[in-house]
Amino acid sequence: MKRNPLALIAANPLMGVFIALVIIFAISIAASPHFLTGYNMSVIARALAFVGLITIGQAMLMILGELDLSLGVIGGLCGVVAGMAMTSGGLPPIVAIPACLLLGAMLGALNGLLVSILKLHSLVLTIGTAGVFGGVNLVLTKGVAITGMPPEIQFFGRGEVYGIPVPFIIMLVVLAIAVFITAKTPFGRFMYAIGNNVAAAEMLGIKVNRIRVLVFTMAGLLAALAGLLMVARLGTAQPSIGETWVLAPIAASVIGGVATTGGVGSPLGAIFGASIIAIIENIIVLFGVSPYWQGVVSGVIVVLAISFDSASRRLIRKES
Amino acid sequence: MVYLEAQKLGRDFPGVRALDEVSITLTLGRVHILAGENGAGKSTLVKLLTGSDTPSQGSIRIDGKDPWQHPEIFETISYVPQELTLFPHLSVAENLFMPFWRSGHGRRVIDRKGMERDAKEYLDRFAIEARPGDLVRQISVPDQQLLQIARASTNRNMKVLILDEPTSALTATEVERVFSVIRDFRKAGLAVIFISHKMDEIFEIGDDYTVLRNGREIETGQIGDCSESELIRAMSGKALKVDDDFRPRGTKTDRVPLLSVRELSGKRFENVSFDLFGGEILGFAGLVGSGRSEVMQTLFGFLRAKSGSAELEGRKWKLGDTSFSVAQGMLYLSEERKHHGILPLLSLRKNIGISILDRTAGRFGISARKESAEVAKVIRDYDIKTDSMGKRISLLSGGNQQKAIIGRAMATSPRVLIFDEPTKGIDVRTKAEIYRIMRDLAERGVAVILISSEMEELRKCASRIITMHAGTTTGEFQTENTTNETLVAAIFGKESASHEA
Amino acid sequence: MTSGMNGLVPALRAIAATTTAVVLATAFPAFAQEEPGMEVKDSYRFVIIPKVVHPWFDQVNNGAMQAAQVIEAQTGSKVEIVYSAPQQADVVQQNQIIESSIATRPDGIAVDLLDASGNRASLEEAVGQEIPVTIFDSVPPEGMELTSIGNDFCEQAKLASRRLVELMEESGQVAIMMGVPSAPNHAIRAQCHEEVFAEYPNIELVATGIDNDDIETAQKQAAAIMQANPDLKGWVASDAAGPIGIGQAIQEAGKTGDVILVGLDNLPEMLQLIRDGVAESSSSTRPEMQGYWSIMAMWQQAMGIDTPKYIDTGIDFITKEDLE
């Protein structure tokens, strides 16, 4: 067998999106002197951290063949509830934060249970529950942000360790755990099996409902974590937290090779995809692209990134 | 008057001769029965007669013309498939006249009023209990079946109507409705081909008959000159040759059963009881839709049981939980390989590896080294042909996929294995390999259940055969001292005494 | 948030009353070259970050461009304006734009804050990176000493509602169109409209619509409200999109002249409605002036000169005569 550079991509499906990421990174360095600065890197890292946590959860659900459109809203609701608990509720952060993480996990589990019991498509169901969770958020806050967060939580949102933003470090730890679960554990294998073929998974004796509920629970937990970190970052609990966390994580996952139909991909690829999106958002501002053109520009770059990935794959198939 | 005459038709597919020197003559005003077991070549023949496939050998003349010179003549032949092919979300009238231009209901703009008026006529004629404006998904299955026949007859040039098992989902009174429609067609001077497995229907409606077996024409004649048992013998063929016997040796039937099932009822079957012994291959015979797959899927826990119970080695069996079944060593290998078997986007390694994770996963996750070693062993043992274990399973051939699934099941050291049509769509050589695997398993003490529509396959492999018809068991036979005729009669619903040895 | 803003309003009004509309240089005695304002830079780059993509902010941008041309003409220094708008009115997205803009090391950033407390962390980062920050059309976070440029929203609303009451001869049914309920400036305006109407016993407030700063929604809401209240005589709005939608609804209902509309702001459609006689007048902020003075303030800060806490750009009251 001849050693083809394209064989690298064939060997690892993550290579395509990784190379696309590297190319976009290199172009950005060449194009803007402000891009590769310590400060700008931490700006991108922080932006990536929050949406990245949602992306990890969403990617795991997508591997399972599910989608949760309420993750952003769960993040917002948990952030707001934590904010209320720590201000007017008078609870110390050490109590309020775990409680709200638990709340997020429970809301995620609720989605998973409803999908399993009612046998509904999760896309449809979570449009509904997103409406409910978002509505509760508005009922609680009347659309007004909650201020006066205890200063000790700010470290988690604004702090840095060796110049690396804390939320980004947290996201990396979560990513490492997610990659281990999906790639190395039986639980992860069962996720892929269910995403490939639910009936076959059941025939193999896999407890489909239990795994589905657990993955929804994990995604809800990660959404709550993102929401809480955002509260720590802003210093206020904004009711609008999570509004932009719906489509970007799905797009990031798809760019990163996770199919919406389930069964393939990896959280790592999804984070590569999220990185591409975060860099695009950053360079659009660095270049001073007109706001009226931003949608066009970012859309074109995303399409190019995806086509690069699929084109390289097709080329390999022809070669072999 | 002879309308269609086919001479020595043959159809070759790569490696298989699906049809070999089959001749058939259709006369206007007569009903021609086309009989044969599953896979006998009936549907291949139908495809050639309707022009949707071209024969490799032989000739067809329709109305004295060569249809390959005058392709429009194929429009005089209407075909009603066995499965429903209606548009569920469109109205009854729309379904009847689609595509609209052919039936003269508007080329660009659809004339709904006129269409529904015309539809009413057809609905009355076929006694379909629906209004023209009803959506098809709202009307009953028998009405849908009749609507399909009505749809075919909207073709004004129709001279030949081919009905492929039109009664399989119908009750006796509904069958009568279909028959009165067929008699009308006969009176109106049409030729009808009627495909059915049901003896009583064949003898009630048929005028002529042709029996196919293994792609060959076995017998042709008039129904009036033939008896039921003759027809069954023609369909099932002669006794099997001795040399291809895959029945496990050394089976003793006087032991305690490994698994006993009592009065199990579920979707499409009722009151099924049987015992299964370690070391035997128990055959389940029945037509598609007789409930045999449903019984096994219910026992396995994939489908819900309505009532009944089972015991494994005297301990109560938990129904409705596939993970319990797998944990207890029962595996079900579905006939729907695509839908129930493979994980299409994953590699061969992960497809096999998924059932041996208890051996390959440790504290630090799944060990790639251990998994590769175990999977390599399965690939070797079951002779799965692939260039690498990293290859996507969906890129392997059907036979190799099936061997991978069997290998995956064996790797878990099962105690009860259920094979549902394990050789469907698989070439002859691989078939024999699969039979050998089953025999080896049984001889190692595993209890094997084999579901099959092929009598030959059951006779080759199973030491005992239970027959099913319309959701109930109709008999239990020792293969050695039972004739094929008896078995075929039992799966067609003829009551007969059990032949316990 | 809203309550904080409400408390600030009287304070702002007091400042506006005591300060002349424009106070630029707090005089510092000039010493040597090292003193602020003495050094000439070849070029400046200023970033303007609005709340969201919206035509009102294009007018702000036009004013900013004008200021850039003035500075270039007068001093010869090149001035570049970078206009970066969030695609959605979302604090998180706006913060990302602020932070990415900091990375480009501009000479100043002017922001229309979506939420003062939610934007705080990013603004502090800019200050920490020693980039001058100016706030326009909104109020800076409490405790941050930043120059803000804008007008008194309550005053603007009251000018409109008083005009409506006068035209209706202090009697009849009126309705208010709210913008985004959680946007402080919209909420203040709606509340001040209500206060004015409450002063007149024969004026009856029959309905309040919510248009979320969207013309189509405003049109639907206004049409429904007029359907439900056939005797409705007058309309006021709380955001720039509201009066345009109301005007369309009045035209479609054939009620031009029967229902009086006193509009808000000066988008081109608003001005057309006044020309067509659908709206009687409009009480408008001066977006161009806010853009202009944002640049001027940032320019001064870039030279090291302190700028006032608050610059009031005042309110335009536009009638048909003004447009001829």
Side-chain angles (χ1 to χ4, degrees):
Chain A
M1 254 213 281
K2 255 190 296 175
R3 194 72 184 154
N4 191 319
L6 286 166
L8 259 180
I9 305 172
N12 194 335
L14 286 175
M15 278 317 273
V17 62
F18 182 70
I19 291 172
L21 175 62
V22 169
I23 290 172
I24 287 173
F25 201 86
I27 292 174
S28 303
I29 294 173
S32 170
H34 304 297
F35 182 74
L36 194 64
T37 61
Y39 176 73
N40 195 48
M41 285 299 110
S42 73
V43 167
I44 295 175
R46 204 157 35 209
L48 179 59
F50 303 103
V51 83
L53 286 170
I54 306 286
T55 302
I56 294 168
Q58 192 68 275
M60 301 228 288
L61 282 166
M62 284 166 73
I63 288 169
L64 201 67
E66 306 285 347
L67 267 181
D68 190 341
L69 296 186
S70 72
L71 290 181
V73 191
I74 290 177
L77 180 59
C78 294
V80 162
V81 170
M84 290 183 139
M86 288 186 289
T87 52
S88 48
L91 290 176
I94 194 87
V95 179
I97 289 173
C100 289
L101 290 175
L102 186 67
L103 173 68
M106 279 161 54
L107 295 179
L110 180 69
N111 279 336
L113 281 172
L114 289 175
V115 166
S116 299
I117 293 167
L118 302 177
K119 303 208 183 304
L120 285 172
H121 195 290
S122 52
L123 179 80
V124 181
L125 178 97
T126 56
I127 287 176
T129 52
V132 175
F133 302 156
V136 172
N137 181 329
L138 281 181
V139 168
L140 291 175
T141 59
K142 311 273 185 295
V144 179
I146 297 148
T147 52
M149 293 302 135
E152 60 263 36
I153 68 163
Q154 289 189 0
F155 171 76
F156 295 105
R158 300 186 191 176
E160 293 186 346
V161 176
Y162 298 114
I164 304 168
V166 172
F168 185 67
I169 296 171
I170 294 175
M171 190 275 283
L172 286 183
V173 171
V174 169
L175 177 64
I177 296 170
V179 168
F180 179 76
I181 290 176
T182 50
K184 293 295 276 182
T185 66
F187 184 87
R189 282 290 167 83
F190 295 158
M191 283 168 55
Y192 285 99
I194 295 167
N196 262 270
N197 189 340
V198 181
E202 211 167 311
M203 294 279 186
L204 283 167
I206 294 170
K207 292 182 170 145
V208 174
N209 285 345
R210 179 185 295 183
I211 287 171
R212 189 187 287 128
V213 171
L214 273 170
V215 177
F216 268 99
T217 307
M218 286 194 266
L221 176 74
L222 292 182
L225 180 61
L228 287 166
L229 289 175
M230 188 48 96
V231 169
R233 162 82 184 132
L234 296 177
T236 69
Q238 292 280 338
S240 69
I241 288 175
E243 275 174 11
T244 53
W245 292 347
V246 181
L247 289 180
I250 298 173
S253 303
V254 172
I255 294 171
V258 185
T260 47
T261 43
V264 282
S266 147
L268 184 60
I271 287 296
F272 287 158
S275 308
I276 289 177
I277 293 180
I279 291 175
I280 291 170
E281 280 178 356
N282 180 256
I283 54 175
I284 274 175
V285 180
L286 295 192
F287 290 170
V289 176
S290 151
Y292 295 104
W293 279 94
Q294 280 180 14
V296 177
V297 172
S298 60
V300 166
I301 299 176
V302 166
V303 170
L304 284 178
I306 299 177
S307 343
F308 173 80
D309 187 40
S310 75
S312 56
R313 242 170 255 272
R314 213 159 328 128
L315 205 60
I316 292 151
R317 211 164 300 150
K318 229 178 267 170
E319 297 255 323
S320 60
Chain B
M1 193 188 90
V2 171
Y3 183 73
L4 183 149
E5 203 169 5
Q7 290 287 342
K8 306 205 164 181
L9 288 180
R11 181 70 177 96
D12 294 328
F13 292 108
V16 194
R17 172 154 290 187
L19 214 58
D20 191 13
E21 298 209 340
V22 173
S23 301
I24 188 166
T25 305
L26 298 183
T27 312
L28 291 180
R30 288 183 79 85
V31 176
H32 196 114
I33 303 290
L34 191 56
E37 293 183 332
N38 293 338
K42 292 170 301 195
S43 44
T44 310
L45 177 61
V46 165
K47 275 186 193 145
L48 298 180
L49 296 183
T50 54
S52 63
D53 194 7
T54 26
S56 313
Q57 296 94 32
S59 68
I60 304 176
R61 290 194 85 75
I62 302 175
D63 205 8
K65 293 176 199 143
D66 180 353
W68 307 106
Q69 304 294 327
H70 308 271
E72 71 284 349
I73 202 135
F74 278 126
E75 280 176 28
T76 64
I77 298 171
S78 289
Y79 170 57
V80 179
Q82 179 181 11
E83 66 275 17
L84 292 168
T85 54
L86 298 165
F87 302 99
H89 299 284
L90 295 182
S91 76
V92 167
E94 284 167 331
N95 265 285
L96 263 178
F97 297 123
M98 182 97 64
F100 307 116
W101 49 266
R102 199 185 66 189
S103 50
H105 290 89
R107 186 169 285 272
R108 296 224 163 69
V109 182
I110 294 158
D111 170 18
R112 218 189 69 189
K113 279 258 171 60
M115 196 166 75
E116 296 198 345
R117 197 175 47 239
D118 294 352
K120 191 82 187 80
E121 253 173 63
Y122 282 99
L123 297 186
D124 290 345
R125 203 170 116 206
F126 287 83
I128 297 169
E129 287 159 18
R131 281 166 310 208
D134 289 349
L135 295 185
V136 159
R137 66 184 156 89
Q138 294 166 333
I139 70 175
S140 71
V141 171
D143 280 332
Q144 291 184 23
Q145 204 89 39
L146 287 163
L147 183 62
Q148 261 196 165
I149 302 174
R151 177 173 68 177
S153 64
T154 60
N155 175 358
R156 285 171 196 161
N157 303 324
M158 181 172 75
K159 285 283 173 198
V160 178
L161 176 64
I162 303 173
L163 299 172
D164 192 353
E165 295 199 48
T167 59
S168 55
L170 302 185
T171 63
T173 42
E174 290 151 359
V175 169
E176 201 35 59
R177 272 156 74 192
V178 176
F179 279 8
S180 78
V181 168
I182 294 177
R183 286 190 193 101
D184 287 348
F185 281 139
R186 179 159 59 188
K187 225 174 283 164
L190 260 62
V192 177
I193 293 184
F194 186 80
I195 301 173
S196 177
H197 287 304
K198 299 182 184 167
M199 287 301 141
D200 46 349
E201 292 179 3
I202 289 172
F203 282 89
E204 187 181 339
I205 198 79
D207 299 314
D208 307 313
Y209 73 93
T210 298
V211 175
L212 299 185
R213 192 172 72 225
N214 293 332
R216 288 216 182 81
E217 183 192 340
I218 300 299
E219 249 182 78
T220 278
Q222 296 198 349
I223 288 287
D225 304 337
C226 152
S227 75
E228 210 173 304
S229 57
E230 278 168 352
L231 200 57
I232 288 174
R233 193 182 305 125
M235 283 161 67
S236 58
K238 286 172 271 164
L240 292 155
K241 278 175 256 158
V242 200
D243 56 57
D244 41 20
D245 173 7
F246 292 95
R247 276 175 242 157
R249 272 163 273 265
T251 313
K252 292 182 201 128
T253 47
D254 55 356
R255 285 178 303 160
V256 201
L258 182 68
L259 179 77
S260 41
V261 176
R262 290 293 169 264
E263 289 168 5
L264 190 64
S265 297
K267 195 178 162 191
R268 286 206 218 127
F269 70 92
E270 252 162 43
N271 261 339
V272 170
S273 303
F274 64 91
D275 286 329
L276 178 69
F277 298 90
E280 75 165 338
I281 297 179
L282 172 62
F284 260 78
L287 299 168
V288 173
S290 62
R292 41 178 214 179
S293 296
E294 285 83 356
V295 171
M296 294 310 154
Q297 292 183 6
T298 306
L299 178 62
F300 179 62
F302 187 70
L303 297 178
R304 256 225 313 263
K306 281 183 194 142
S307 61
S309 65
E311 279 181 359
L312 182 78
E313 288 177 332
R315 273 178 299 125
K316 194 158 166 43
W317 184 255
K318 191 170 156 198
L319 290 162
D321 183 355
T322 55
S323 57
F324 169 83
S325 307
V326 172
Q328 295 299 311
M330 179 191 281
L331 291 175
Y332 173 82
L333 305 184
S334 171
E335 69 176 311
E336 302 286 344
R337 214 162 34 232
K338 284 230 165 57
H339 300 299
H340 292 159
I342 63 168
L343 308 170
L345 303 174
L346 296 187
S347 63
L348 177 62
R349 182 179 121 192
K350 286 184 179 173
N351 263 279
I352 294 175
I354 191 131
S355 59
I356 48 167
L357 291 170
D358 51 339
R359 272 180 270 155
T360 55
R363 191 182 300 163
F364 303 106
I366 300 160
S367 154
R369 193 181 46 81
K370 275 191 207 161
E371 187 174 78
S372 296
E374 294 264 4
V375 170
K377 191 166 173 295
V378 172
I379 290 176
R380 204 170 45 242
D381 288 355
Y382 293 91
D383 193 23
I384 300 164
K385 299 205 173 50
T386 176
D387 33 4
S388 93
M389 67 171 72
K391 194 169 183 172
R392 256 192 202 187
I393 192 160
S394 49
L395 300 175
L396 299 184
S397 73
N400 282 309
Q401 288 181 15
Q402 186 69 310
K403 283 192 274 180
I405 290 171
I406 294 173
R408 166 170 84 190
M410 297 321 132
T412 63
S413 350
R415 289 199 286 171
V416 180
L417 252 170
I418 306 166
F419 289 89
D420 194 347
E421 297 275 15
T423 60
K424 198 171 153 188
I426 278 171
D427 63 82
V428 185
R429 212 171 55 83
T430 314
K431 264 187 188 180
E433 282 178 46
I434 290 171
Y435 297 154
R436 208 166 301 122
I437 291 168
M438 284 195 291
R439 183 182 60 195
D440 292 350
L441 275 168
E443 285 175 355
R444 269 190 271 146
V446 175
V448 176
I449 291 177
L450 169 65
I451 300 174
S452 180
S453 312
E454 284 182 51
M455 268 320 139
E456 209 181 326
E457 177 166 296
L458 287 169
R459 293 185 69 92
K460 267 183 200 171
C461 305
S463 17
R464 229 168 17 120
I465 296 173
I466 290 176
T467 52
M468 283 194 75
H469 174 78
T472 52
T473 50
T474 50
E476 183 183 329
F477 309 91
Q478 293 296 331
T479 314
E480 278 168 22
N481 44 27
T482 308
T483 60
N484 233 17
E485 285 80 1
T486 320
L487 285 174
V488 171
I491 69 171
F492 282 107
K494 292 278 147 200
E495 284 301 332
S496 64
S498 289
H499 292 237
E500 283 288 359
Chain C
M1 174 75 38
T2 319
S3 62
M5 284 294 299
N6 285 346
L8 271 170
V9 169
L12 289 182
R13 205 180 301 147
I15 296 163
T18 51
T19 327
T20 39
V22 182
V23 182
L24 269 184
T26 23
F28 265 95
F31 291 113
Q33 246 111 342
E34 294 295 301
E35 290 303 309
M38 291 298 121
E39 191 194 349
V40 178
K41 264 183 88 178
D42 292 343
S43 69
Y44 294 95
R45 195 162 47 84
F46 300 119
V47 180
I48 296 184
I49 302 173
K51 281 182 173 146
V52 69
V53 179
H54 193 290
W56 191 85
F57 292 106
D58 292 346
Q59 295 181 308
V60 173
N61 197 22
N62 291 342
M65 303 289 227
Q66 197 199 337
Q69 281 165 9
V70 168
I71 296 169
E72 280 184 22
Q74 296 295 327
T75 65
S77 305
K78 269 195 69 69
V79 180
E80 189 195 345
I81 309 288
V82 180
Y83 178 74
S84 280
Q87 297 288 318
Q88 274 170 287
D90 171 61
V91 185
V92 175
Q93 224 179 53
Q94 195 181 37
N95 282 343
Q96 275 177 30
I97 293 179
I98 295 173
E99 289 167 24
S100 294
S101 300
I102 296 169
T104 68
R105 313 288 320 159
D107 296 294
I109 297 177
V111 195
D112 184 352
L113 300 180
L114 272 164
D115 187 314
S117 53
N119 291 120
R120 184 186 193 112
S122 302
L123 296 178
E124 281 174 351
E125 226 156 80
V127 173
Q129 301 268 328
E130 293 176 347
I131 291 165
V133 177
T134 300
I135 306 299
F136 68 96
D137 187 43
S138 50
V139 181
E142 268 177 79
M144 282 188 85
E145 289 293 327
L146 298 174
T147 296
S148 72
I149 294 150
N151 61 283
D152 186 334
F153 300 124
C154 187
E155 193 58 40
Q156 183 194 4
K158 284 189 169 173
L159 273 172
S161 35
R162 289 225 168 84
R163 174 74 168 187
L164 180 66
V165 170
E166 191 189 314
L167 292 166
M168 290 171 59
E169 290 163 348
E170 298 184 10
S171 127
Q173 293 185 346
V174 294
I176 299 173
M177 186 65 73
M178 268 266 250
V180 184
S182 60
N185 49 349
H186 298 175
I188 291 169
R189 286 175 186 144
Q191 195 192 337
C192 292
H193 283 313
E194 278 180 38
E195 283 169 18
V196 170
F197 293 141
E199 289 168 22
Y200 299 91
N202 292 332
I203 292 281
E204 188 196 353
L205 175 61
V206 291
T208 303
I210 291 176
D211 67 26
N212 283 318
D213 211 355
D214 177 61
I215 293 172
E216 201 196 332
T217 315
Q219 187 252 326
K220 279 190 237 157
Q221 288 262 314
I225 287 172
M226 287 194 287
Q227 201 71 42
N229 302 283
D231 294 331
L232 187 80
K233 273 279 162 292
W235 271 108
V236 287
S238 317
D239 64 307
I244 299 168
I246 298 169
Q248 286 175 355
I250 291 175
Q251 282 174 310
E252 277 164 21
K255 288 188 166 180
T256 308
D258 298 340
V259 177
I260 306 165
L261 166 63
V262 177
L264 207 78
D265 286 347
N266 60 350
L267 295 182
E269 298 102 311
M270 182 70 242
L271 302 182
Q272 191 56 42
L273 287 170
I274 296 175
R275 279 192 206 100
D276 295 346
V278 180
E280 197 275 336
S281 52
S282 180
S283 163
S284 176
T285 51
R286 291 163 165 163
E288 284 95 349
M289 204 183 270
Q290 295 197 8
Y292 183 93
W293 288 105
S294 296
I295 297 299
M296 285 301 176
M298 285 192 283
W299 178 48
Q300 297 295 320
Q301 289 160 1
M303 290 190 290
I305 296 167
D306 281 346
T307 48
K309 183 166 186 217
Y310 181 59
I311 299 174
D312 190 337
T313 51
I315 293 149
D316 269 335
F317 203 82
I318 306 163
T319 60
K320 203 167 182 173
E321 291 87 66
D322 299 321
L323 299 173
E324 277 160 1

